[in-house]
PDB file of all heavy atoms in Angstrom:
ATOM      1  N   HIS N 278     -43.020  47.397  68.642  1.00 94.00           N
ATOM      2  CA  HIS N 278     -43.346  48.608  67.877  1.00 94.00           C
ATOM      3  C   HIS N 278     -44.494  48.380  66.896  1.00 94.00           C
ATOM      4  O   HIS N 278     -44.899  47.252  66.630  1.00 94.00           O
ATOM      5  CB  HIS N 278     -42.097  49.125  67.151  1.00 94.00           C
ATOM      6  CG  HIS N 278     -41.498  48.177  66.149  1.00 94.00           C
ATOM      7  ND1 HIS N 278     -42.087  47.897  64.938  1.00 94.00           N
ATOM      8  CD2 HIS N 278     -40.352  47.454  66.183  1.00 94.00           C
ATOM      9  CE1 HIS N 278     -41.310  47.056  64.259  1.00 94.00           C
ATOM     10  NE2 HIS N 278     -40.259  46.750  65.004  1.00 94.00           N
ATOM     11  N   GLY N 279     -44.979  49.495  66.367  1.00 95.00           N
ATOM     12  CA  GLY N 279     -46.034  49.452  65.360  1.00 95.00           C
ATOM     13  C   GLY N 279     -45.448  49.481  63.960  1.00 95.00           C
ATOM     14  O   GLY N 279     -44.291  49.080  63.748  1.00 95.00           O
ATOM     15  N   THR N 280     -46.246  49.982  62.998  1.00 98.00           N
ATOM     16  CA  THR N 280     -45.851  49.899  61.591  1.00 98.00           C
ATOM     17  C   THR N 280     -44.918  51.036  61.166  1.00 98.00           C
ATOM     18  O   THR N 280     -44.439  51.041  60.035  1.00 98.00           O
ATOM     19  CB  THR N 280     -47.102  49.938  60.698  1.00 98.00           C
ATOM     20  OG1 THR N 280     -47.892  51.091  61.055  1.00 98.00           O
ATOM     21  CG2 THR N 280     -47.941  48.684  60.881  1.00 98.00           C
ATOM     22  N   ALA N 281     -44.695  52.011  62.043  1.00 98.00           N
ATOM     23  CA  ALA N 281     -43.767  53.130  61.784  1.00 98.00           C
ATOM     24  C   ALA N 281     -43.894  53.670  60.356  1.00 98.00           C
ATOM     25  O   ALA N 281     -42.909  53.670  59.604  1.00 98.00           O
ATOM     26  CB  ALA N 281     -42.327  52.694  62.075  1.00 98.00           C
ATOM     27  N   PRO N 282     -45.073  54.145  59.956  1.00 97.00           N
ATOM     28  CA  PRO N 282     -45.263  54.601  58.567  1.00 97.00           C
ATOM     29  C   PRO N 282     -44.313  55.733  58.168  1.00 97.00           C
ATOM     30  O   PRO N 282     -43.990  55.888  56.990  1.00 97.00           O
ATOM     31  CB  PRO N 282     -46.723  55.070  58.521  1.00 97.00           C
ATOM     32  CG  PRO N 282     -47.229  55.055  59.918  1.00 97.00           C
ATOM     33  CD  PRO N 282     -46.316  54.226  60.746  1.00 97.00           C
ATOM     34  N   ASP N 283     -43.819  56.488  59.184  1.00 97.00           N
ATOM     35  CA  ASP N 283     -42.905  57.602  58.863  1.00 97.00           C
ATOM     36  C   ASP N 283     -41.584  57.137  58.266  1.00 97.00           C
ATOM     37  O   ASP N 283     -40.904  57.904  57.580  1.00 97.00           O
ATOM     38  CB  ASP N 283     -42.654  58.472  60.119  1.00 97.00           C
ATOM     39  CG  ASP N 283     -42.194  57.660  61.335  1.00 97.00           C
ATOM     40  OD1 ASP N 283     -42.528  56.464  61.426  1.00 97.00           O
ATOM     41  OD2 ASP N 283     -41.495  58.223  62.196  1.00 97.00           O
ATOM     42  N   ILE N 284     -41.193  55.880  58.508  1.00 98.00           N
ATOM     43  CA  ILE N 284     -39.902  55.420  57.954  1.00 98.00           C
ATOM     44  C   ILE N 284     -40.065  54.210  57.037  1.00 98.00           C
ATOM     45  O   ILE N 284     -39.077  53.653  56.566  1.00 98.00           O
ATOM     46  CB  ILE N 284     -38.894  55.078  59.080  1.00 98.00           C
ATOM     47  CG1 ILE N 284     -39.473  54.020  60.039  1.00 98.00           C
ATOM     48  CG2 ILE N 284     -38.474  56.326  59.848  1.00 98.00           C
ATOM     49  CD1 ILE N 284     -38.405  53.350  60.898  1.00 98.00           C
ATOM     50  N   ALA N 285     -41.313  53.793  56.778  1.00 98.00           N
ATOM     51  CA  ALA N 285     -41.533  52.569  55.987  1.00 98.00           C
ATOM     52  C   ALA N 285     -40.979  52.720  54.566  1.00 98.00           C
ATOM     53  O   ALA N 285     -41.031  53.803  53.990  1.00 98.00           O
ATOM     54  CB  ALA N 285     -43.028  52.249  55.936  1.00 98.00           C
ATOM     55  N   GLY N 286     -40.430  51.639  54.058  1.00 97.00           N
ATOM     56  CA  GLY N 286     -39.964  51.599  52.671  1.00 97.00           C
ATOM     57  C   GLY N 286     -38.657  52.334  52.427  1.00 97.00           C
ATOM     58  O   GLY N 286     -38.234  52.494  51.292  1.00 97.00           O
ATOM     59  N   GLN N 287     -37.984  52.773  53.474  1.00 97.00           N
ATOM     60  CA  GLN N 287     -36.743  53.550  53.285  1.00 97.00           C
ATOM     61  C   GLN N 287     -35.499  52.811  53.765  1.00 97.00           C
ATOM     62  O   GLN N 287     -34.408  53.372  53.785  1.00 97.00           O
ATOM     63  CB  GLN N 287     -36.849  54.879  54.049  1.00 97.00           C
ATOM     64  CG  GLN N 287     -38.012  55.743  53.603  1.00 97.00           C
ATOM     65  CD  GLN N 287     -38.220  56.917  54.551  1.00 97.00           C
ATOM     66  OE1 GLN N 287     -37.283  57.632  54.896  1.00 97.00           O
ATOM     67  NE2 GLN N 287     -39.451  57.107  54.994  1.00 97.00           N
ATOM     68  N   GLY N 288     -35.696  51.579  54.226  1.00 97.00           N
ATOM     69  CA  GLY N 288     -34.543  50.807  54.705  1.00 97.00           C
ATOM     70  C   GLY N 288     -34.017  51.299  56.031  1.00 97.00           C
ATOM     71  O   GLY N 288     -32.886  51.004  56.408  1.00 97.00           O
ATOM     72  N   LEU N 289     -34.825  52.061  56.776  1.00 98.00           N
ATOM     73  CA  LEU N 289     -34.350  52.649  58.032  1.00 98.00           C
ATOM     74  C   LEU N 289     -34.785  51.860  59.267  1.00 98.00           C
ATOM     75  O   LEU N 289     -34.323  52.134  60.377  1.00 98.00           O
ATOM     76  CB  LEU N 289     -34.874  54.085  58.170  1.00 98.00           C
ATOM     77  CG  LEU N 289     -34.403  55.088  57.122  1.00 98.00           C
ATOM     78  CD1 LEU N 289     -35.125  56.428  57.305  1.00 98.00           C
ATOM     79  CD2 LEU N 289     -32.890  55.284  57.235  1.00 98.00           C
ATOM     80  N   ALA N 290     -35.695  50.912  59.089  1.00 98.00           N
ATOM     81  CA  ALA N 290     -36.267  50.206  60.250  1.00 98.00           C
ATOM     82  C   ALA N 290     -35.206  49.387  60.967  1.00 98.00           C
ATOM     83  O   ALA N 290     -34.400  48.695  60.339  1.00 98.00           O
ATOM     84  CB  ALA N 290     -37.400  49.299  59.795  1.00 98.00           C
ATOM     85  N   ASN N 291     -35.235  49.459  62.272  1.00 98.00           N
ATOM     86  CA  ASN N 291     -34.348  48.635  63.089  1.00 98.00           C
ATOM     87  C   ASN N 291     -34.968  47.228  63.173  1.00 98.00           C
ATOM     88  O   ASN N 291     -36.064  47.062  63.710  1.00 98.00           O
ATOM     89  CB  ASN N 291     -34.242  49.248  64.491  1.00 98.00           C
ATOM     90  CG  ASN N 291     -33.209  48.553  65.347  1.00 98.00           C
ATOM     91  OD1 ASN N 291     -32.767  47.454  65.010  1.00 98.00           O
ATOM     92  ND2 ASN N 291     -32.829  49.180  66.436  1.00 98.00           N
TER      93      ASN N 291
END
Side-chain angles (χ1 to χ4, degrees):
H278 61 72
T280 53
D283 53 333
I284 57 163
Q287 301 170 49
L289 297 174
N291 187 345

